[in-house]
Amino acid sequence: MNYALPLWDVPHVAIDQSDEKFPVHRIYCVGRNYAEHAREMGEMGADPVREAPFFFCKPNDAVAPSGSVISYPLATQNFHHEVELVVALKGGGMNIKPEAALDLVFGYGVGVDLTRRDLQQAMKDKGRPWDIGKAFDRAAPIGALRQASSGHVGQAAITLAVNGEVKQISDVKEMIWNVPDIIAHLSGLFELKAGDLIFTGTPAGVGPLVKGDRIEARIAGLSPLDFSIG
């Protein structure tokens, strides 16, 4: 097949202890999946434990590897960090049952959902989509994936530090919707496919980043994610 433009590289994520790369198909993100974060964002009008999860997307080329220097993004004066457990899928489908969901998981990584908070809030206030607040260049840094053959992640400390100072600390067991439930809900909205990444939500403590900041994101048992703001 002939294309009108040269083909670009497939966005990918490193894999622990492997020379292979994980090709990224889509990036899905779960909103408001830790109750304390919902409270700090003033989004407790409904009971988050009973509400169905909701989702937004980032472009697949928003991924950035550990060690990156990420430029402070355009058009924002309030740029935030949100550390998250990331689930990488090796299979997909529609209307997947929770009990079958973990069979589709390739592995897990540490990710940060970078957010232009002022632009996101302006869109919320107008009842418009959040895309410009969430879906921008290099907005999804992620560490190397640990394969699920080493075990699934249901309980693990999750932290984020800025310049050595811890800003976010929790445990992934505090997620309102666990990984099988997230996959089941999401597969009722989209046909999931191998190569999809799912950012599973962030705990409380989100806050601003400025040029020169050094970010260290950790989930116990997974490869660390380190990057800085250029």
Side-chain angles (χ1 to χ4, degrees), residues 134-173:
K134 292 286 191 177
F136 52 94
D137 297 333
R138 310 196 86 191
I142 179 172
L145 300 174
R146 192 202 74 189
Q147 297 188 56
S149 56
S150 299
H152 291 285
V153 179
Q155 179 175 343
I158 178 171
T159 62
L160 182 141
V162 180
N163 302 322
E165 181 180 352
V166 175
K167 299 292 187 179
Q168 293 184 264
I169 183 168
S170 187
D171 194 291
V172 298
K173 70 179 181 181

PDB file of all heavy atoms in Angstrom, residues 134-173:
ATOM      1  N   LYS A 134      -6.550  17.716  28.956  1.00  0.00           N
ATOM      2  CA  LYS A 134      -5.987  16.387  29.215  1.00  0.00           C
ATOM      3  C   LYS A 134      -5.191  15.803  28.047  1.00  0.00           C
ATOM      4  O   LYS A 134      -4.270  15.017  28.271  1.00  0.00           O
ATOM      5  CB  LYS A 134      -7.138  15.420  29.542  1.00  0.00           C
ATOM      6  CG  LYS A 134      -7.842  15.691  30.875  1.00  0.00           C
ATOM      7  CD  LYS A 134      -6.993  15.262  32.054  1.00  0.00           C
ATOM      8  CE  LYS A 134      -7.753  15.275  33.358  1.00  0.00           C
ATOM      9  NZ  LYS A 134      -6.938  14.790  34.491  1.00  0.00           N
ATOM     10  N   ALA A 135      -5.547  16.141  26.829  1.00  0.00           N
ATOM     11  CA  ALA A 135      -5.023  15.429  25.658  1.00  0.00           C
ATOM     12  C   ALA A 135      -4.055  16.304  24.874  1.00  0.00           C
ATOM     13  O   ALA A 135      -4.358  16.764  23.782  1.00  0.00           O
ATOM     14  CB  ALA A 135      -6.184  14.976  24.769  1.00  0.00           C
ATOM     15  N   PHE A 136      -2.864  16.530  25.452  1.00  0.00           N
ATOM     16  CA  PHE A 136      -1.880  17.370  24.781  1.00  0.00           C
ATOM     17  C   PHE A 136      -0.552  16.611  24.656  1.00  0.00           C
ATOM     18  O   PHE A 136      -0.427  15.470  25.124  1.00  0.00           O
ATOM     19  CB  PHE A 136      -1.701  18.702  25.521  1.00  0.00           C
ATOM     20  CG  PHE A 136      -1.413  18.555  26.993  1.00  0.00           C
ATOM     21  CD1 PHE A 136      -0.116  18.531  27.467  1.00  0.00           C
ATOM     22  CD2 PHE A 136      -2.455  18.460  27.907  1.00  0.00           C
ATOM     23  CE1 PHE A 136       0.148  18.406  28.819  1.00  0.00           C
ATOM     24  CE2 PHE A 136      -2.209  18.335  29.267  1.00  0.00           C
ATOM     25  CZ  PHE A 136      -0.894  18.302  29.721  1.00  0.00           C
ATOM     26  N   ASP A 137       0.430  17.228  24.058  1.00  0.00           N
ATOM     27  CA  ASP A 137       1.706  16.564  23.779  1.00  0.00           C
ATOM     28  C   ASP A 137       2.376  16.088  25.065  1.00  0.00           C
ATOM     29  O   ASP A 137       2.513  16.842  26.028  1.00  0.00           O
ATOM     30  CB  ASP A 137       2.657  17.519  23.047  1.00  0.00           C
ATOM     31  CG  ASP A 137       2.128  17.940  21.688  1.00  0.00           C
ATOM     32  OD1 ASP A 137       1.361  17.163  21.096  1.00  0.00           O
ATOM     33  OD2 ASP A 137       2.477  19.042  21.228  1.00  0.00           O
ATOM     34  N   ARG A 138       2.787  14.807  25.082  1.00  0.00           N
ATOM     35  CA  ARG A 138       3.562  14.195  26.167  1.00  0.00           C
ATOM     36  C   ARG A 138       2.838  14.285  27.510  1.00  0.00           C
ATOM     37  O   ARG A 138       3.457  14.428  28.571  1.00  0.00           O
ATOM     38  CB  ARG A 138       4.960  14.826  26.236  1.00  0.00           C
ATOM     39  CG  ARG A 138       5.677  14.871  24.894  1.00  0.00           C
ATOM     40  CD  ARG A 138       7.156  15.119  25.026  1.00  0.00           C
ATOM     41  NE  ARG A 138       7.875  13.865  25.245  1.00  0.00           N
ATOM     42  CZ  ARG A 138       9.149  13.800  25.607  1.00  0.00           C
ATOM     43  NH1 ARG A 138       9.843  14.900  25.809  1.00  0.00           N
ATOM     44  NH2 ARG A 138       9.737  12.636  25.768  1.00  0.00           N
ATOM     45  N   ALA A 139       1.525  14.189  27.460  1.00  0.00           N
ATOM     46  CA  ALA A 139       0.698  14.310  28.661  1.00  0.00           C
ATOM     47  C   ALA A 139       0.523  13.002  29.406  1.00  0.00           C
ATOM     48  O   ALA A 139      -0.219  12.946  30.390  1.00  0.00           O
ATOM     49  CB  ALA A 139      -0.683  14.868  28.282  1.00  0.00           C
ATOM     50  N   ALA A 140       1.216  11.928  28.961  1.00  0.00           N
ATOM     51  CA  ALA A 140       1.046  10.617  29.592  1.00  0.00           C
ATOM     52  C   ALA A 140       2.392   9.919  29.796  1.00  0.00           C
ATOM     53  O   ALA A 140       2.638   8.859  29.232  1.00  0.00           O
ATOM     54  CB  ALA A 140       0.116   9.749  28.753  1.00  0.00           C
ATOM     55  N   PRO A 141       3.278  10.492  30.612  1.00  0.00           N
ATOM     56  CA  PRO A 141       4.526   9.770  30.909  1.00  0.00           C
ATOM     57  C   PRO A 141       4.228   8.458  31.627  1.00  0.00           C
ATOM     58  O   PRO A 141       3.317   8.384  32.457  1.00  0.00           O
ATOM     59  CB  PRO A 141       5.304  10.742  31.806  1.00  0.00           C
ATOM     60  CG  PRO A 141       4.292  11.698  32.334  1.00  0.00           C
ATOM     61  CD  PRO A 141       3.216  11.789  31.296  1.00  0.00           C
ATOM     62  N   ILE A 142       5.000   7.424  31.309  1.00  0.00           N
ATOM     63  CA  ILE A 142       4.753   6.100  31.889  1.00  0.00           C
ATOM     64  C   ILE A 142       6.072   5.339  31.991  1.00  0.00           C
ATOM     65  O   ILE A 142       6.902   5.385  31.080  1.00  0.00           O
ATOM     66  CB  ILE A 142       3.707   5.322  31.051  1.00  0.00           C
ATOM     67  CG1 ILE A 142       3.460   3.925  31.626  1.00  0.00           C
ATOM     68  CG2 ILE A 142       4.086   5.266  29.596  1.00  0.00           C
ATOM     69  CD1 ILE A 142       2.306   3.190  30.952  1.00  0.00           C
ATOM     70  N   GLY A 143       6.246   4.654  33.117  1.00  0.00           N
ATOM     71  CA  GLY A 143       7.421   3.831  33.315  1.00  0.00           C
ATOM     72  C   GLY A 143       7.308   2.501  32.596  1.00  0.00           C
ATOM     73  O   GLY A 143       6.262   2.163  32.026  1.00  0.00           O
ATOM     74  N   ALA A 144       8.368   1.724  32.631  1.00  0.00           N
ATOM     75  CA  ALA A 144       8.380   0.411  31.978  1.00  0.00           C
ATOM     76  C   ALA A 144       7.318  -0.493  32.592  1.00  0.00           C
ATOM     77  O   ALA A 144       7.059  -0.455  33.798  1.00  0.00           O
ATOM     78  CB  ALA A 144       9.760  -0.226  32.114  1.00  0.00           C
ATOM     79  N   LEU A 145       6.700  -1.309  31.750  1.00  0.00           N
ATOM     80  CA  LEU A 145       5.633  -2.211  32.191  1.00  0.00           C
ATOM     81  C   LEU A 145       6.204  -3.469  32.838  1.00  0.00           C
ATOM     82  O   LEU A 145       7.141  -4.074  32.314  1.00  0.00           O
ATOM     83  CB  LEU A 145       4.768  -2.616  30.996  1.00  0.00           C
ATOM     84  CG  LEU A 145       4.066  -1.495  30.238  1.00  0.00           C
ATOM     85  CD1 LEU A 145       3.383  -2.066  28.996  1.00  0.00           C
ATOM     86  CD2 LEU A 145       3.042  -0.796  31.132  1.00  0.00           C
ATOM     87  N   ARG A 146       5.618  -3.862  33.949  1.00  0.00           N
ATOM     88  CA  ARG A 146       5.910  -5.170  34.527  1.00  0.00           C
ATOM     89  C   ARG A 146       4.831  -6.132  34.054  1.00  0.00           C
ATOM     90  O   ARG A 146       3.637  -5.855  34.185  1.00  0.00           O
ATOM     91  CB  ARG A 146       5.900  -5.112  36.058  1.00  0.00           C
ATOM     92  CG  ARG A 146       6.472  -6.366  36.705  1.00  0.00           C
ATOM     93  CD  ARG A 146       5.978  -6.536  38.120  1.00  0.00           C
ATOM     94  NE  ARG A 146       4.591  -6.965  38.126  1.00  0.00           N
ATOM     95  CZ  ARG A 146       3.832  -7.031  39.224  1.00  0.00           C
ATOM     96  NH1 ARG A 146       4.305  -6.659  40.379  1.00  0.00           N
ATOM     97  NH2 ARG A 146       2.579  -7.447  39.155  1.00  0.00           N
ATOM     98  N   GLN A 147       5.226  -7.264  33.478  1.00  0.00           N
ATOM     99  CA  GLN A 147       4.251  -8.174  32.900  1.00  0.00           C
ATOM    100  C   GLN A 147       3.392  -8.838  33.976  1.00  0.00           C
ATOM    101  O   GLN A 147       3.861  -9.128  35.083  1.00  0.00           O
ATOM    102  CB  GLN A 147       4.962  -9.218  32.046  1.00  0.00           C
ATOM    103  CG  GLN A 147       5.680  -8.583  30.856  1.00  0.00           C
ATOM    104  CD  GLN A 147       6.233  -9.589  29.887  1.00  0.00           C
ATOM    105  OE1 GLN A 147       5.496 -10.436  29.373  1.00  0.00           O
ATOM    106  NE2 GLN A 147       7.522  -9.515  29.606  1.00  0.00           N
ATOM    107  N   ALA A 148       2.145  -9.086  33.633  1.00  0.00           N
ATOM    108  CA  ALA A 148       1.182  -9.654  34.577  1.00  0.00           C
ATOM    109  C   ALA A 148       1.529 -11.078  34.976  1.00  0.00           C
ATOM    110  O   ALA A 148       1.009 -11.582  35.977  1.00  0.00           O
ATOM    111  CB  ALA A 148      -0.227  -9.599  33.991  1.00  0.00           C
ATOM    112  N   SER A 149       2.405 -11.722  34.210  1.00  0.00           N
ATOM    113  CA  SER A 149       2.845 -13.064  34.587  1.00  0.00           C
ATOM    114  C   SER A 149       3.571 -13.053  35.930  1.00  0.00           C
ATOM    115  O   SER A 149       3.690 -14.089  36.585  1.00  0.00           O
ATOM    116  CB  SER A 149       3.753 -13.643  33.505  1.00  0.00           C
ATOM    117  OG  SER A 149       4.860 -12.789  33.253  1.00  0.00           O
ATOM    118  N   SER A 150       4.035 -11.875  36.361  1.00  0.00           N
ATOM    119  CA  SER A 150       4.673 -11.726  37.673  1.00  0.00           C
ATOM    120  C   SER A 150       3.656 -11.449  38.772  1.00  0.00           C
ATOM    121  O   SER A 150       4.047 -11.276  39.931  1.00  0.00           O
ATOM    122  CB  SER A 150       5.705 -10.592  37.626  1.00  0.00           C
ATOM    123  OG  SER A 150       6.724 -10.863  36.683  1.00  0.00           O
ATOM    124  N   GLY A 151       2.380 -11.356  38.402  1.00  0.00           N
ATOM    125  CA  GLY A 151       1.326 -11.102  39.378  1.00  0.00           C
ATOM    126  C   GLY A 151       0.541  -9.850  39.054  1.00  0.00           C
ATOM    127  O   GLY A 151       1.057  -8.910  38.437  1.00  0.00           O
ATOM    128  N   HIS A 152      -0.729  -9.860  39.440  1.00  0.00           N
ATOM    129  CA  HIS A 152      -1.581  -8.693  39.236  1.00  0.00           C
ATOM    130  C   HIS A 152      -1.442  -7.724  40.404  1.00  0.00           C
ATOM    131  O   HIS A 152      -0.983  -8.092  41.492  1.00  0.00           O
ATOM    132  CB  HIS A 152      -3.030  -9.130  39.058  1.00  0.00           C
ATOM    133  CG  HIS A 152      -3.275  -9.870  37.774  1.00  0.00           C
ATOM    134  ND1 HIS A 152      -3.337  -9.235  36.562  1.00  0.00           N
ATOM    135  CD2 HIS A 152      -3.424 -11.203  37.520  1.00  0.00           C
ATOM    136  CE1 HIS A 152      -3.539 -10.131  35.600  1.00  0.00           C
ATOM    137  NE2 HIS A 152      -3.592 -11.334  36.157  1.00  0.00           N
ATOM    138  N   VAL A 153      -1.830  -6.479  40.182  1.00  0.00           N
ATOM    139  CA  VAL A 153      -1.689  -5.432  41.187  1.00  0.00           C
ATOM    140  C   VAL A 153      -3.069  -5.112  41.764  1.00  0.00           C
ATOM    141  O   VAL A 153      -3.912  -4.537  41.072  1.00  0.00           O
ATOM    142  CB  VAL A 153      -1.061  -4.155  40.586  1.00  0.00           C
ATOM    143  CG1 VAL A 153      -0.938  -3.082  41.648  1.00  0.00           C
ATOM    144  CG2 VAL A 153       0.297  -4.470  39.978  1.00  0.00           C
ATOM    145  N   GLY A 154      -3.293  -5.510  43.015  1.00  0.00           N
ATOM    146  CA  GLY A 154      -4.546  -5.187  43.680  1.00  0.00           C
ATOM    147  C   GLY A 154      -4.353  -4.374  44.933  1.00  0.00           C
ATOM    148  O   GLY A 154      -5.265  -3.704  45.419  1.00  0.00           O
ATOM    149  N   GLN A 155      -3.129  -4.418  45.474  1.00  0.00           N
ATOM    150  CA  GLN A 155      -2.783  -3.679  46.682  1.00  0.00           C
ATOM    151  C   GLN A 155      -1.315  -3.300  46.584  1.00  0.00           C
ATOM    152  O   GLN A 155      -0.445  -4.156  46.469  1.00  0.00           O
ATOM    153  CB  GLN A 155      -3.030  -4.540  47.925  1.00  0.00           C
ATOM    154  CG  GLN A 155      -2.680  -3.853  49.237  1.00  0.00           C
ATOM    155  CD  GLN A 155      -3.068  -4.702  50.444  1.00  0.00           C
ATOM    156  OE1 GLN A 155      -3.852  -5.636  50.325  1.00  0.00           O
ATOM    157  NE2 GLN A 155      -2.508  -4.378  51.595  1.00  0.00           N
ATOM    158  N   ALA A 156      -1.016  -2.000  46.585  1.00  0.00           N
ATOM    159  CA  ALA A 156       0.363  -1.529  46.479  1.00  0.00           C
ATOM    160  C   ALA A 156       0.390  -0.039  46.785  1.00  0.00           C
ATOM    161  O   ALA A 156      -0.488   0.712  46.355  1.00  0.00           O
ATOM    162  CB  ALA A 156       0.927  -1.789  45.077  1.00  0.00           C
ATOM    163  N   ALA A 157       1.411   0.377  47.531  1.00  0.00           N
ATOM    164  CA  ALA A 157       1.576   1.798  47.824  1.00  0.00           C
ATOM    165  C   ALA A 157       1.814   2.577  46.538  1.00  0.00           C
ATOM    166  O   ALA A 157       2.538   2.124  45.645  1.00  0.00           O
ATOM    167  CB  ALA A 157       2.734   1.999  48.782  1.00  0.00           C
ATOM    168  N   ILE A 158       1.189   3.765  46.435  1.00  0.00           N
ATOM    169  CA  ILE A 158       1.353   4.632  45.274  1.00  0.00           C
ATOM    170  C   ILE A 158       1.723   6.021  45.780  1.00  0.00           C
ATOM    171  O   ILE A 158       1.072   6.563  46.674  1.00  0.00           O
ATOM    172  CB  ILE A 158       0.063   4.650  44.409  1.00  0.00           C
ATOM    173  CG1 ILE A 158       0.214   5.600  43.207  1.00  0.00           C
ATOM    174  CG2 ILE A 158      -1.168   4.999  45.223  1.00  0.00           C
ATOM    175  CD1 ILE A 158      -0.927   5.488  42.199  1.00  0.00           C
ATOM    176  N   THR A 159       2.816   6.582  45.237  1.00  0.00           N
ATOM    177  CA  THR A 159       3.289   7.886  45.694  1.00  0.00           C
ATOM    178  C   THR A 159       3.795   8.715  44.530  1.00  0.00           C
ATOM    179  O   THR A 159       4.182   8.192  43.478  1.00  0.00           O
ATOM    180  CB  THR A 159       4.452   7.748  46.705  1.00  0.00           C
ATOM    181  OG1 THR A 159       5.560   7.113  46.059  1.00  0.00           O
ATOM    182  CG2 THR A 159       4.042   6.951  47.931  1.00  0.00           C
ATOM    183  N   LEU A 160       3.807  10.024  44.731  1.00  0.00           N
ATOM    184  CA  LEU A 160       4.440  10.946  43.792  1.00  0.00           C
ATOM    185  C   LEU A 160       5.135  12.024  44.604  1.00  0.00           C
ATOM    186  O   LEU A 160       4.556  12.584  45.543  1.00  0.00           O
ATOM    187  CB  LEU A 160       3.433  11.562  42.829  1.00  0.00           C
ATOM    188  CG  LEU A 160       4.037  12.517  41.782  1.00  0.00           C
ATOM    189  CD1 LEU A 160       3.378  12.352  40.413  1.00  0.00           C
ATOM    190  CD2 LEU A 160       3.926  13.977  42.233  1.00  0.00           C
ATOM    191  N   ALA A 161       6.391  12.291  44.249  1.00  0.00           N
ATOM    192  CA  ALA A 161       7.170  13.337  44.906  1.00  0.00           C
ATOM    193  C   ALA A 161       7.623  14.361  43.877  1.00  0.00           C
ATOM    194  O   ALA A 161       7.945  14.009  42.737  1.00  0.00           O
ATOM    195  CB  ALA A 161       8.379  12.742  45.617  1.00  0.00           C
ATOM    196  N   VAL A 162       7.631  15.627  44.266  1.00  0.00           N
ATOM    197  CA  VAL A 162       8.127  16.714  43.433  1.00  0.00           C
ATOM    198  C   VAL A 162       9.342  17.316  44.141  1.00  0.00           C
ATOM    199  O   VAL A 162       9.236  17.769  45.290  1.00  0.00           O
ATOM    200  CB  VAL A 162       7.057  17.789  43.199  1.00  0.00           C
ATOM    201  CG1 VAL A 162       7.605  18.915  42.323  1.00  0.00           C
ATOM    202  CG2 VAL A 162       5.814  17.184  42.546  1.00  0.00           C
ATOM    203  N   ASN A 163      10.488  17.266  43.485  1.00  0.00           N
ATOM    204  CA  ASN A 163      11.737  17.761  44.067  1.00  0.00           C
ATOM    205  C   ASN A 163      12.017  17.135  45.432  1.00  0.00           C
ATOM    206  O   ASN A 163      12.485  17.788  46.368  1.00  0.00           O
ATOM    207  CB  ASN A 163      11.712  19.290  44.171  1.00  0.00           C
ATOM    208  CG  ASN A 163      11.504  19.954  42.824  1.00  0.00           C
ATOM    209  OD1 ASN A 163      12.022  19.501  41.805  1.00  0.00           O
ATOM    210  ND2 ASN A 163      10.729  21.027  42.807  1.00  0.00           N
ATOM    211  N   GLY A 164      11.695  15.836  45.553  1.00  0.00           N
ATOM    212  CA  GLY A 164      11.968  15.101  46.767  1.00  0.00           C
ATOM    213  C   GLY A 164      10.906  15.206  47.842  1.00  0.00           C
ATOM    214  O   GLY A 164      10.983  14.503  48.856  1.00  0.00           O
ATOM    215  N   GLU A 165       9.888  16.031  47.643  1.00  0.00           N
ATOM    216  CA  GLU A 165       8.818  16.205  48.627  1.00  0.00           C
ATOM    217  C   GLU A 165       7.582  15.422  48.184  1.00  0.00           C
ATOM    218  O   GLU A 165       7.051  15.660  47.095  1.00  0.00           O
ATOM    219  CB  GLU A 165       8.463  17.679  48.785  1.00  0.00           C
ATOM    220  CG  GLU A 165       7.373  17.938  49.826  1.00  0.00           C
ATOM    221  CD  GLU A 165       7.029  19.404  49.966  1.00  0.00           C
ATOM    222  OE1 GLU A 165       7.730  20.246  49.366  1.00  0.00           O
ATOM    223  OE2 GLU A 165       6.038  19.712  50.667  1.00  0.00           O
ATOM    224  N   VAL A 166       7.126  14.501  49.041  1.00  0.00           N
ATOM    225  CA  VAL A 166       5.974  13.669  48.695  1.00  0.00           C
ATOM    226  C   VAL A 166       4.707  14.527  48.652  1.00  0.00           C
ATOM    227  O   VAL A 166       4.387  15.237  49.607  1.00  0.00           O
ATOM    228  CB  VAL A 166       5.807  12.512  49.692  1.00  0.00           C
ATOM    229  CG1 VAL A 166       4.522  11.734  49.394  1.00  0.00           C
ATOM    230  CG2 VAL A 166       7.006  11.572  49.628  1.00  0.00           C
ATOM    231  N   LYS A 167       4.003  14.444  47.539  1.00  0.00           N
ATOM    232  CA  LYS A 167       2.769  15.207  47.338  1.00  0.00           C
ATOM    233  C   LYS A 167       1.536  14.304  47.325  1.00  0.00           C
ATOM    234  O   LYS A 167       0.457  14.726  47.743  1.00  0.00           O
ATOM    235  CB  LYS A 167       2.838  15.965  46.009  1.00  0.00           C
ATOM    236  CG  LYS A 167       3.970  16.966  45.918  1.00  0.00           C
ATOM    237  CD  LYS A 167       3.756  18.130  46.849  1.00  0.00           C
ATOM    238  CE  LYS A 167       4.812  19.214  46.621  1.00  0.00           C
ATOM    239  NZ  LYS A 167       4.601  20.382  47.503  1.00  0.00           N
ATOM    240  N   GLN A 168       1.668  13.089  46.789  1.00  0.00           N
ATOM    241  CA  GLN A 168       0.556  12.146  46.738  1.00  0.00           C
ATOM    242  C   GLN A 168       1.002  10.837  47.369  1.00  0.00           C
ATOM    243  O   GLN A 168       2.090  10.341  47.072  1.00  0.00           O
ATOM    244  CB  GLN A 168       0.120  11.899  45.288  1.00  0.00           C
ATOM    245  CG  GLN A 168      -0.500  13.108  44.596  1.00  0.00           C
ATOM    246  CD  GLN A 168      -1.003  12.760  43.212  1.00  0.00           C
ATOM    247  OE1 GLN A 168      -0.295  12.968  42.230  1.00  0.00           O
ATOM    248  NE2 GLN A 168      -2.217  12.236  43.116  1.00  0.00           N
ATOM    249  N   ILE A 169       0.158  10.267  48.221  1.00  0.00           N
ATOM    250  CA  ILE A 169       0.457   8.980  48.835  1.00  0.00           C
ATOM    251  C   ILE A 169      -0.848   8.264  49.157  1.00  0.00           C
ATOM    252  O   ILE A 169      -1.770   8.851  49.719  1.00  0.00           O
ATOM    253  CB  ILE A 169       1.335   9.141  50.105  1.00  0.00           C
ATOM    254  CG1 ILE A 169       1.702   7.771  50.683  1.00  0.00           C
ATOM    255  CG2 ILE A 169       0.662  10.044  51.131  1.00  0.00           C
ATOM    256  CD1 ILE A 169       2.788   7.839  51.737  1.00  0.00           C
ATOM    257  N   SER A 170      -0.947   7.012  48.728  1.00  0.00           N
ATOM    258  CA  SER A 170      -2.152   6.214  48.972  1.00  0.00           C
ATOM    259  C   SER A 170      -1.801   4.757  48.696  1.00  0.00           C
ATOM    260  O   SER A 170      -0.634   4.370  48.706  1.00  0.00           O
ATOM    261  CB  SER A 170      -3.315   6.695  48.089  1.00  0.00           C
ATOM    262  OG  SER A 170      -4.519   6.040  48.434  1.00  0.00           O
ATOM    263  N   ASP A 171      -2.821   3.958  48.434  1.00  0.00           N
ATOM    264  CA  ASP A 171      -2.660   2.561  48.051  1.00  0.00           C
ATOM    265  C   ASP A 171      -3.672   2.281  46.952  1.00  0.00           C
ATOM    266  O   ASP A 171      -4.810   2.772  47.021  1.00  0.00           O
ATOM    267  CB  ASP A 171      -2.904   1.630  49.251  1.00  0.00           C
ATOM    268  CG  ASP A 171      -2.424   0.217  48.993  1.00  0.00           C
ATOM    269  OD1 ASP A 171      -3.044  -0.479  48.140  1.00  0.00           O
ATOM    270  OD2 ASP A 171      -1.467  -0.221  49.637  1.00  0.00           O
ATOM    271  N   VAL A 172      -3.276   1.505  45.941  1.00  0.00           N
ATOM    272  CA  VAL A 172      -4.198   1.246  44.840  1.00  0.00           C
ATOM    273  C   VAL A 172      -5.441   0.473  45.302  1.00  0.00           C
ATOM    274  O   VAL A 172      -6.460   0.480  44.611  1.00  0.00           O
ATOM    275  CB  VAL A 172      -3.512   0.520  43.664  1.00  0.00           C
ATOM    276  CG1 VAL A 172      -2.409   1.376  43.080  1.00  0.00           C
ATOM    277  CG2 VAL A 172      -2.980  -0.826  44.081  1.00  0.00           C
ATOM    278  N   LYS A 173      -5.383  -0.155  46.485  1.00  0.00           N
ATOM    279  CA  LYS A 173      -6.576  -0.833  47.001  1.00  0.00           C
ATOM    280  C   LYS A 173      -7.682   0.167  47.330  1.00  0.00           C
ATOM    281  O   LYS A 173      -8.840  -0.221  47.513  1.00  0.00           O
ATOM    282  CB  LYS A 173      -6.236  -1.657  48.236  1.00  0.00           C
ATOM    283  CG  LYS A 173      -5.908  -0.834  49.472  1.00  0.00           C
ATOM    284  CD  LYS A 173      -5.594  -1.709  50.669  1.00  0.00           C
ATOM    285  CE  LYS A 173      -5.296  -0.861  51.911  1.00  0.00           C
ATOM    286  NZ  LYS A 173      -4.970  -1.697  53.082  1.00  0.00           N
TER     287      LYS A 173
END
